[in-house]
Amino acid sequence: MDGTGSSFAKPGYEPGPPLWLLAELTYRCPLQCPYCSNPLDFAKHHDELSTAEWIEVFRQARALGAAQLGFSGGEPLVRQDLAELIGAARGLGYYTNLITSGIGLTEARIASFAEAGLDHIQISFQAADEEVNNLLAGSRKAFAQKLAMARAVKAQGYPMVLNFVTHRHNIDDIDRIIALCVELEADFVELATCQFYGWAELNRAGLLPTRAQLERAERITQQWRERLAARNHPCKLIFVTPDYYEERPKACMNGWGNLFLDITPDGTALPCHSARQLPVAFPNVREHSIEHIWRHSLGFNHFRGDDWMPEPCRSCDEKERDFGGCRCQAFMLTGDASNADPVCSKSAHHGVILAARQEAETAAQPLDQLQYRNERASRLIAKA
Amino acid sequence: MNDDELPKVPTFRRGYRFQFEPAQGCHVLLYPEGMIKLNESAALILEQVDGQQSVGQLTDALAERFPEAPGLRQDVMEFLEVARGRHWIELR
């Protein structure tokens, strides 16, 4: 550990290596998706690490065993030093992933990233329907640009992941979504039902699909899987269900501070994208080494092990499987991040989840009432 | 996999990268947003996948290196079949 901080490491607890490093290079983004995972008050955080600071983060995390590196944001393409960052990361031995909306991408940039050693590009879409896509993205040109860039990514030989965040206003279109992905020659397709953090939590009533919508989408996805397998087609469909329809919580991040390390634009280190909202002090790479952050910081040790768990988790025989679920969800829905994730039917707060399901059936919000993610809205939220 | 495929040359599918990870003390196969930890025998076989050697050649090379291993040829062929089925490698 470095000289500045005390060690909060838990005796007898040795975390695994931070295999997944997510570099949220910036909160700047040309789109306004109402389910963005960035913090609601992102407008408060304009500071960004320099090129040299990012490369030092990559070097230190790699030495601890990080193997996958995601360049994310905001929109990572707004960073003019992106090719340099990719080159440095690839030189250190990372598998480099660019996670982008495709806005700001050009054929020339795709080629320059390939030259720098970029391994893979993930492009996110908002819908398979141009009008719905552009409405959700808050940009009239978004869909055409995404299509053109997805084709260019494949033409230049990259493996490509297409990511569709699905919700009540686009999930019924799942057949068309998958057909589009197959047509675009995606290697992997993530059909990720909205997870309710950040802006998505704010807009939950307008996003959570009904159980019937979800079941239909899963059925159609399974039919596609069978059709693709019968043709020995390499495209893999990954369906992420929203935990709001589960009775047991997800093993969030595979355990707190266990394999995932997120560095936010200003260098704050987090154990997941949305942990910034928790009443926990998180360390910054400008003040501490990655090793100190990962092994010894209070923030990363806070919810390691199980000595922090109250009932019903403490005596639960499933606690080693799901770690009591998601700390952020427990905090957002119960006010206490140590509580059992209310998705769990054993939680005293499970009623919140049942009420949200009910709301999806009877009192959902239309598309035009969603709060879009932009600087103005974020400033208002930060002020309040 | 049958004997007809012995002259074919296995290569990693684009986007799949085989490398040794010192922190984990093992070889891994990296792919978009994912990683597979490989056991020793899987690593020994995939190490031979260099885009040059055919299935027959790499099987011969391994049989020469491990003359005592019983059923090695069949194990290698079966593993390559699994790797192809999971779209980690392609045969050309």
Side-chain angles (χ1 to χ4, degrees), chain A residues 19-20 62 65 67-68 90 93-95 97 119-120 122 156-159 161 187-188 190 232-234, chain B residues 13-17 19-24 28-35 37 84-87 90:
Chain A
L19 297 175
W20 235 114
R62 180 75 185 129
Q68 285 281 352
R90 187 66 164 79
Y94 280 103
Y95 192 92
N97 305 275
D119 289 291
H120 143 246
Q122 178 195 118
Q156 295 198 28
Y158 283 95
V161 175
D187 296 272
F188 298 84
E190 289 175 5
N232 193 31
H233 196 291
Chain B
R13 178 175 166 201
R14 176 84 193 250
Y16 282 68
R17 206 163 90 214
Q19 70 184 33
F20 185 74
E21 282 297 297
Q24 298 175 65
V28 299
L29 192 60
L30 293 158
Y31 60 94
E33 296 167 40
M35 180 178 69
K37 278 184 151 183
R84 177 168 64 170
R86 292 184 187 172
H87 303 287
E90 289 162 355

Side-chain angles (χ1 to χ4, degrees), chain A residues 263-286:
Chain A
I263 308 295
T264 63
D266 67 4
T268 304
L270 301 174
C272 79
H273 322 55
S274 68
R276 197 165 201 149
Q277 64 182 310
L278 299 178
V280 173
F282 289 106
N284 191 293
V285 299
R286 284 176 165 156

Side-chain angles (χ1 to χ4, degrees), chain A residues 27-222:
Chain A
Y27 286 142
R28 289 175 286 158
C29 183
L31 299 187
Q32 308 186 36
C33 307
Y35 43 75
C36 180
S37 64
N38 286 166
L40 292 169
D41 62 358
F42 73 85
K44 273 202 312 201
H45 310 281
H46 280 125
D47 199 14
E48 292 181 8
L49 295 182
S50 68
T51 310
E53 284 173 316
W54 274 117
I55 292 173
E56 181 57 19
V57 165
F58 301 162
R59 192 188 64 72
Q60 290 185 30
R62 180 75 185 129
L64 282 185
Q68 285 281 352
L69 173 53
F71 293 101
S72 172
E75 173 49 67
L77 291 170
V78 305
R79 288 279 302 217
Q80 296 306 307
D81 56 356
L82 186 54
E84 188 180 347
L85 295 176
I86 291 166
R90 187 66 164 79
L92 288 163
Y94 280 103
Y95 192 92
T96 49
N97 305 275
L98 172 60
I99 300 161
T100 176
S101 69
I103 310 301
L105 206 53
T106 60
E107 288 188 28
R109 279 190 102 183
I110 295 171
S112 78
F113 297 155
E115 205 168 306
L118 182 62
D119 289 291
H120 143 246
I121 298 180
Q122 178 195 118
I123 298 181
S124 60
F125 277 76
Q126 283 69 32
D129 178 88
E130 177 156 17
E131 204 178 320
V132 178
N133 184 92
N134 293 349
L135 192 63
L136 285 162
S139 157
R140 271 178 302 162
K141 294 178 189 157
F143 189 73
Q145 164 74 6
K146 285 163 187 285
L147 281 184
M149 287 306 112
R151 293 196 172 106
V153 163
K154 285 305 290 189
Q156 295 198 28
Y158 283 95
M160 179 171 73
V161 175
L162 292 182
N163 174 285
F164 278 77
V165 173
T166 61
H167 46 77
R168 61 181 304 120
H169 300 295
N170 68 2
I171 198 168
D172 293 335
D173 225 9
I174 194 105
D175 188 60
R176 222 171 125 198
I177 288 173
I178 299 172
L180 176 65
C181 293
V182 172
E183 187 219 310
L184 291 171
E185 298 175 68
D187 296 272
F188 298 84
V189 177
E190 289 175 5
L191 302 159
T193 322
C194 249
Q195 303 289 308
F196 295 100
Y197 302 96
W199 296 79
E201 166 65 9
L202 188 69
N203 287 309
R204 190 184 67 203
L207 295 170
L208 183 66
T210 64
R211 188 186 288 278
Q213 282 185 300
L214 190 66
E215 284 173 355
R216 176 178 174 274
E218 279 193 275
R219 195 171 60 242
I220 291 170
T221 304
Q222 188 52 34

